[in-house]
Amino acid sequence: MKLSQKSLSISPSPTLSIDAKYKEMLTNGEDVVGFGAGEPDCDTPDHIKAAAIEAINKGFTKYTPASGTLELKKAICKKLQDDNGLTYKPSDIVVSNGAKHSLVNVFCAILNPGDEVIIPSPFWVSYPEMVKLADGVPVTLETTESTGFKFTAAQLKAAITPKTKAIVLNSPSNPTGMLYSKQELAGIASIAVANGIFVVSDEIYEKLIYGGEQHVSIASLGDDIKALTIVVNGVSKSYSMTGWRIGYTASTGEIAAIMGNVQSHAASNPCSISQAAAVAALLGPQDSVKIMREAFLKRRDYMVKRINSIPGLSCLTPQGAFYVMMNIKGVLGREIKGKVINSCDEFCAHALEAAGVALVPGSGFGANGYVRWSYATSMENIKNGLDRIEAFLK
Ligand code: PMP
Ligand code: GLU
């Protein structure tokens, strides 16, 4: 029996596979430290949990409108207005089972077979596969450390073809942590508007920025770019709610209606209880975000300093999110603990086996020669993991 050619072309998510492997090793009592999947290590704040418990006790346990409750959509509109200066109506919002699901809805809503989507590398592992799922063609726009892993408006212009339908923008970025300034975004917006291409703006890490810089949503830079932007966000990272599965989009009402229709057949509504919890997350006290950000800042600084002190390794200082892209080109070709390491995949496989450290190879992010650490784990784990990698390379 011939199975779906399209689905056969989809590779598994390397971040989730490495995390699953790490968790399995832990369960088997193996000595391993995990830096794989990026999820905040702190618990979901109590007032959010309380809202979910209240929802259960009140019997808020049935289907909701497929694209989300009006209450949550209103809370999202308020958040977008207050935080990002963006005015949307509840009918412009679609709530989904995590931002990952939101992104799949976006590509389903905007792509026709053969449409190209520009994805700057290093990119989050899921973007190219999502585009393929929606019959689009992912086109990599390579960036390097020399430009801080950021693309310029000129590079974007050169990458556009008659088939280009959209560009994915992820600021702050997973996996590089890089943040685009307002001026850089204005340059990108003018190219997008001049060429009539959509901007899929994944802003899931907006609250996790260290230092003085501000997050700017590209949609806030004018009516023309707002009409072309689909803002993607969610509560997973900001409120340590990865397991609750609530993400959302803000777009024109036309695109929102298409996504709502697709979702109504593919998934119905996101979990009613999680939607009630998300209202509490967005409208309730925000101090947990600050506490988390302060903890991540200390961990980032420690990790960056340690990595740059190990011969053969280096990294830039990420401005946001909770990942560090470590350049391992200086150790490639070397024999490490009885094995010659020629690629980031071999580095990660050997680091897991011989040093008990779970890291994600850059290959899945379109960045060979790099390895991703997540610092959304305790300082104790971070110290332990770096000690192990230092000893591994000695
Ligand atoms: N975008 C980026 C860049 C991410 O790193 C993640 C993390 N999984 C997501 C979207 C999706 O987040 P979630 O589905 O948990 O809301
Ligand atoms: N976004 C996180 C990561 O990149 C979680 C895993 C995933 O969804 O890919 O590690």
Side-chain angles (χ1 to χ4, degrees):
M1 185 99 79
K2 209 167 174 196
L3 300 178
S4 158
Q5 214 49 47
K6 180 168 79 179
S7 297
L8 284 169
S9 81
I10 305 296
S11 55
S13 162
T15 46
L16 293 182
S17 334
I18 285 161
D19 192 52
K21 178 148 196 210
Y22 154 72
K23 284 175 180 158
E24 187 190 312
M25 287 172 79
L26 263 192
T27 312
N28 294 340
E30 291 178 55
D31 178 22
V32 59
V33 210
F35 299 92
E39 58 177 347
D41 53 318
C42 49
D43 202 1
T44 304
D46 284 344
H47 71 279
I48 300 176
K49 289 188 194 171
I53 293 164
E54 194 190 329
I56 295 173
N57 288 336
K58 275 189 176 163
F60 190 65
T61 51
K62 302 288 195 315
Y63 293 134
T64 74
S67 59
T69 62
L70 184 60
E71 197 190 2
L72 178 52
K73 289 182 184 181
K74 281 185 176 165
I76 291 166
C77 289
K78 183 175 181 325
K79 177 256 171 266
L80 291 167
Q81 187 73 61
D82 295 352
D83 291 356
N84 311 106
L86 292 169
T87 308
Y88 285 103
K89 302 184 293 300
S91 54
D92 301 331
I93 309 296
V94 176
V95 184
S96 304
N97 300 291
K100 196 178 253 183
H101 183 204
S102 301
L103 284 157
V104 172
N105 282 340
V106 172
F107 295 123
C108 285
I110 64 172
L111 298 183
N112 283 307
D115 282 351
E116 293 176 0
V117 178
I118 297 175
I119 305 177
S121 72
F123 45 72
W124 178 43
V125 293
S126 292
Y127 297 137
E129 307 308 290
M130 290 166 165
V131 168
K132 287 197 279 177
L133 270 175
D135 293 323
V137 179
V139 175
T140 304
L141 171 56
E142 203 178 316
T143 76
T144 63
E145 275 185 278
S146 65
T147 59
F149 287 126
K150 290 195 270 192
F151 65 92
T152 60
Q155 274 177 298
L156 172 60
K157 194 173 174 189
I160 292 175
T161 76
K163 288 192 169 170
T164 306
K165 194 64 166 282
I167 168 142
V168 175
L169 184 70
N170 176 215
S171 174
S173 147
N174 174 6
T176 67
M178 292 306 155
L179 181 74
Y180 285 82
S181 68
K182 189 172 179 181
Q183 204 182 355
E184 288 163 336
L185 292 173
I188 296 166
S190 71
I191 303 288
V193 169
N195 291 275
I197 60 170
F198 289 115
V199 177
V200 180
S201 183
D202 182 345
E203 304 181 11
I204 192 109
Y205 294 102
E206 75 169 324
K207 304 255 183 212
L208 299 173
I209 295 174
Y210 318 102
E213 299 92 346
Q214 290 290 316
H215 165 81
V216 174
S217 174
I218 193 167
S220 68
L221 300 181
D223 289 344
D224 290 347
I225 187 64
K226 185 175 175 234
L228 287 170
T229 303
I230 300 115
V231 175
V232 179
N233 210 325
V235 295
S236 289
K237 315 287 173 174
S238 304
Y239 302 100
S240 202
M241 291 176 73
T242 45
W244 299 70
R245 311 308 304 134
I246 296 290
Y248 58 86
T249 52
S251 63
T252 61
E254 185 188 8
I255 294 176
I258 299 168
M259 290 193 287
N261 291 346
V262 170
Q263 181 165 304
S264 75
H265 291 292
S268 297
N269 60 278
C271 171
S272 58
I273 301 150
S274 297
Q275 289 189 71
V279 171
L282 294 174
L283 300 184
Q286 301 292 307
D287 29 331
S288 64
V289 184
K290 187 164 172 272
I291 294 168
M292 184 161 67
R293 195 166 44 229
E294 279 163 7
F296 286 167
L297 171 63
K298 287 196 192 112
R299 298 169 187 181
R300 178 202 69 168
D301 287 347
Y302 178 81
M303 187 174 265
V304 167
K305 201 164 152 213
R306 282 286 306 270
I307 287 173
N308 284 310
S309 75
I310 301 174
L313 304 181
S314 66
C315 68
L316 298 178
T317 303
Q319 294 153 287
F322 39 63
Y323 307 102
V324 171
M325 271 310 246
M326 176 170 80
N327 185 330
I328 61 154
K329 290 174 192 167
V331 301
L332 292 180
R334 254 176 63 182
E335 188 179 317
I336 302 169
K337 294 225 167 191
K339 220 176 200 165
V340 178
I341 300 298
N342 288 313
S343 68
C344 54
D345 295 276
E346 287 176 12
F347 183 97
C348 291
H350 200 36
L352 185 59
E353 206 175 286
V357 181
L359 297 164
V360 191
S363 47
F365 304 96
N368 284 315
Y370 293 86
V371 164
R372 190 191 80 173
W373 294 76
S374 159
Y375 52 88
T377 183
S378 70
M379 197 60 142
E380 193 189 344
N381 279 345
I382 292 172
K383 284 185 179 154
N384 186 357
L386 284 157
D387 287 347
R388 286 176 185 220
I389 289 297
E390 193 166 21
F392 174 66
L393 291 173
K394 260 192 185 145

mmCIF file of all heavy atoms in Angstrom, residues 12-29:
data_model
loop_
_atom_site.group_PDB
_atom_site.id
_atom_site.type_symbol
_atom_site.label_atom_id
_atom_site.label_comp_id
_atom_site.label_asym_id
_atom_site.label_seq_id
_atom_site.Cartn_x
_atom_site.Cartn_y
_atom_site.Cartn_z
ATOM 1 N N PRO A 12 10.735 13.817 11.736
ATOM 2 C CA PRO A 12 10.259 14.037 13.107
ATOM 3 C C PRO A 12 10.887 15.299 13.690
ATOM 4 O O PRO A 12 11.951 15.722 13.254
ATOM 5 C CB PRO A 12 10.745 12.798 13.866
ATOM 6 C CG PRO A 12 11.859 12.249 13.057
ATOM 7 C CD PRO A 12 11.620 12.654 11.632
ATOM 8 N N SER A 13 10.224 15.913 14.676
ATOM 9 C CA SER A 13 10.779 17.112 15.313
ATOM 10 C C SER A 13 12.003 16.709 16.147
ATOM 11 O O SER A 13 11.883 15.935 17.091
ATOM 12 C CB SER A 13 9.713 17.746 16.221
ATOM 13 O OG SER A 13 10.350 18.619 17.132
ATOM 14 N N PRO A 14 13.199 17.199 15.778
ATOM 15 C CA PRO A 14 14.401 16.779 16.524
ATOM 16 C C PRO A 14 14.391 17.255 17.969
ATOM 17 O O PRO A 14 14.889 16.557 18.850
ATOM 18 C CB PRO A 14 15.557 17.400 15.747
ATOM 19 C CG PRO A 14 14.975 18.429 14.863
ATOM 20 C CD PRO A 14 13.535 18.107 14.669
ATOM 21 N N THR A 15 13.782 18.431 18.215
ATOM 22 C CA THR A 15 13.755 18.934 19.598
ATOM 23 C C THR A 15 12.915 17.993 20.468
ATOM 24 O O THR A 15 13.328 17.609 21.560
ATOM 25 C CB THR A 15 13.163 20.351 19.641
ATOM 26 O OG1 THR A 15 11.988 20.368 18.832
ATOM 27 C CG2 THR A 15 14.136 21.383 19.126
ATOM 28 N N LEU A 16 11.763 17.610 19.932
ATOM 29 C CA LEU A 16 10.886 16.740 20.718
ATOM 30 C C LEU A 16 11.465 15.327 20.826
ATOM 31 O O LEU A 16 11.335 14.680 21.868
ATOM 32 C CB LEU A 16 9.471 16.715 20.124
ATOM 33 C CG LEU A 16 8.696 18.038 20.208
ATOM 34 C CD1 LEU A 16 7.297 17.896 19.631
ATOM 35 C CD2 LEU A 16 8.603 18.554 21.646
ATOM 36 N N SER A 17 12.137 14.842 19.750
ATOM 37 C CA SER A 17 12.709 13.483 19.843
ATOM 38 C C SER A 17 13.828 13.444 20.874
ATOM 39 O O SER A 17 13.948 12.484 21.632
ATOM 40 C CB SER A 17 13.281 12.956 18.531
ATOM 41 O OG SER A 17 12.718 13.511 17.432
ATOM 42 N N ILE A 18 14.669 14.503 20.883
ATOM 43 C CA ILE A 18 15.781 14.496 21.845
ATOM 44 C C ILE A 18 15.240 14.596 23.266
ATOM 45 O O ILE A 18 15.705 13.906 24.172
ATOM 46 C CB ILE A 18 16.796 15.609 21.507
ATOM 47 C CG1 ILE A 18 17.596 15.143 20.298
ATOM 48 C CG2 ILE A 18 17.735 15.926 22.675
ATOM 49 C CD1 ILE A 18 18.308 16.175 19.534
ATOM 50 N N ASP A 19 14.208 15.408 23.434
ATOM 51 C CA ASP A 19 13.616 15.534 24.765
ATOM 52 C C ASP A 19 13.015 14.197 25.222
ATOM 53 O O ASP A 19 13.166 13.796 26.375
ATOM 54 C CB ASP A 19 12.545 16.624 24.758
ATOM 55 C CG ASP A 19 12.119 17.003 26.153
ATOM 56 O OD1 ASP A 19 13.010 17.307 26.971
ATOM 57 O OD2 ASP A 19 10.912 16.974 26.441
ATOM 58 N N ALA A 20 12.361 13.508 24.279
ATOM 59 C CA ALA A 20 11.750 12.221 24.628
ATOM 60 C C ALA A 20 12.842 11.222 25.012
ATOM 61 O O ALA A 20 12.707 10.465 25.989
ATOM 62 C CB ALA A 20 10.931 11.703 23.451
ATOM 63 N N LYS A 21 13.949 11.230 24.251
ATOM 64 C CA LYS A 21 15.048 10.303 24.543
ATOM 65 C C LYS A 21 15.646 10.605 25.920
ATOM 66 O O LYS A 21 15.910 9.707 26.718
ATOM 67 C CB LYS A 21 16.109 10.427 23.440
ATOM 68 C CG LYS A 21 17.301 9.571 23.647
ATOM 69 C CD LYS A 21 17.918 9.090 22.359
ATOM 70 C CE LYS A 21 18.857 7.930 22.686
ATOM 71 N NZ LYS A 21 19.975 7.816 21.787
ATOM 72 N N TYR A 22 15.840 11.911 26.188
ATOM 73 C CA TYR A 22 16.406 12.333 27.480
ATOM 74 C C TYR A 22 15.491 11.882 28.626
ATOM 75 O O TYR A 22 15.948 11.329 29.631
ATOM 76 C CB TYR A 22 16.594 13.858 27.460
ATOM 77 C CG TYR A 22 16.565 14.520 28.813
ATOM 78 C CD1 TYR A 22 17.627 14.354 29.695
ATOM 79 C CD2 TYR A 22 15.473 15.290 29.210
ATOM 80 C CE1 TYR A 22 17.593 14.950 30.949
ATOM 81 C CE2 TYR A 22 15.438 15.884 30.451
ATOM 82 C CZ TYR A 22 16.503 15.706 31.321
ATOM 83 O OH TYR A 22 16.465 16.283 32.550
ATOM 84 N N LYS A 23 14.180 12.084 28.467
ATOM 85 C CA LYS A 23 13.243 11.717 29.536
ATOM 86 C C LYS A 23 13.218 10.195 29.730
ATOM 87 O O LYS A 23 13.111 9.713 30.860
ATOM 88 C CB LYS A 23 11.852 12.280 29.241
ATOM 89 C CG LYS A 23 11.812 13.796 29.536
ATOM 90 C CD LYS A 23 10.509 14.477 29.164
ATOM 91 C CE LYS A 23 10.584 15.977 29.504
ATOM 92 N NZ LYS A 23 9.663 16.806 28.764
ATOM 93 N N GLU A 24 13.357 9.460 28.649
ATOM 94 C CA GLU A 24 13.381 7.999 28.752
ATOM 95 C C GLU A 24 14.645 7.553 29.506
ATOM 96 O O GLU A 24 14.595 6.686 30.381
ATOM 97 C CB GLU A 24 13.365 7.413 27.340
ATOM 98 C CG GLU A 24 13.218 5.902 27.295
ATOM 99 C CD GLU A 24 13.466 5.376 25.887
ATOM 100 O OE1 GLU A 24 12.911 5.923 24.927
ATOM 101 O OE2 GLU A 24 14.244 4.409 25.776
ATOM 102 N N MET A 25 15.780 8.187 29.189
ATOM 103 C CA MET A 25 17.039 7.832 29.869
ATOM 104 C C MET A 25 16.936 8.125 31.359
ATOM 105 O O MET A 25 17.385 7.327 32.189
ATOM 106 C CB MET A 25 18.215 8.609 29.249
ATOM 107 C CG MET A 25 18.606 8.109 27.876
ATOM 108 S SD MET A 25 19.823 9.173 27.057
ATOM 109 C CE MET A 25 21.349 8.672 27.857
ATOM 110 N N LEU A 26 16.310 9.268 31.687
ATOM 111 C CA LEU A 26 16.125 9.623 33.103
ATOM 112 C C LEU A 26 15.287 8.567 33.812
ATOM 113 O O LEU A 26 15.631 8.118 34.919
ATOM 114 C CB LEU A 26 15.383 10.951 33.205
ATOM 115 C CG LEU A 26 16.132 12.246 33.407
ATOM 116 C CD1 LEU A 26 15.135 13.343 33.771
ATOM 117 C CD2 LEU A 26 17.216 12.160 34.471
ATOM 118 N N THR A 27 14.184 8.165 33.163
ATOM 119 C CA THR A 27 13.287 7.155 33.746
ATOM 120 C C THR A 27 14.031 5.845 33.964
ATOM 121 O O THR A 27 13.783 5.130 34.936
ATOM 122 C CB THR A 27 12.074 6.915 32.799
ATOM 123 O OG1 THR A 27 11.569 8.186 32.429
ATOM 124 C CG2 THR A 27 10.985 6.104 33.444
ATOM 125 N N ASN A 28 14.974 5.554 33.056
ATOM 126 C CA ASN A 28 15.746 4.314 33.204
ATOM 127 C C ASN A 28 16.879 4.445 34.212
ATOM 128 O O ASN A 28 17.713 3.565 34.339
ATOM 129 C CB ASN A 28 16.350 3.896 31.847
ATOM 130 C CG ASN A 28 15.269 3.509 30.870
ATOM 131 O OD1 ASN A 28 14.144 3.193 31.265
ATOM 132 N ND2 ASN A 28 15.601 3.531 29.578
ATOM 133 N N GLY A 29 16.912 5.579 34.903
ATOM 134 C CA GLY A 29 17.917 5.777 35.954
ATOM 135 C C GLY A 29 19.288 6.142 35.413
ATOM 136 O O GLY A 29 20.285 6.090 36.133
#
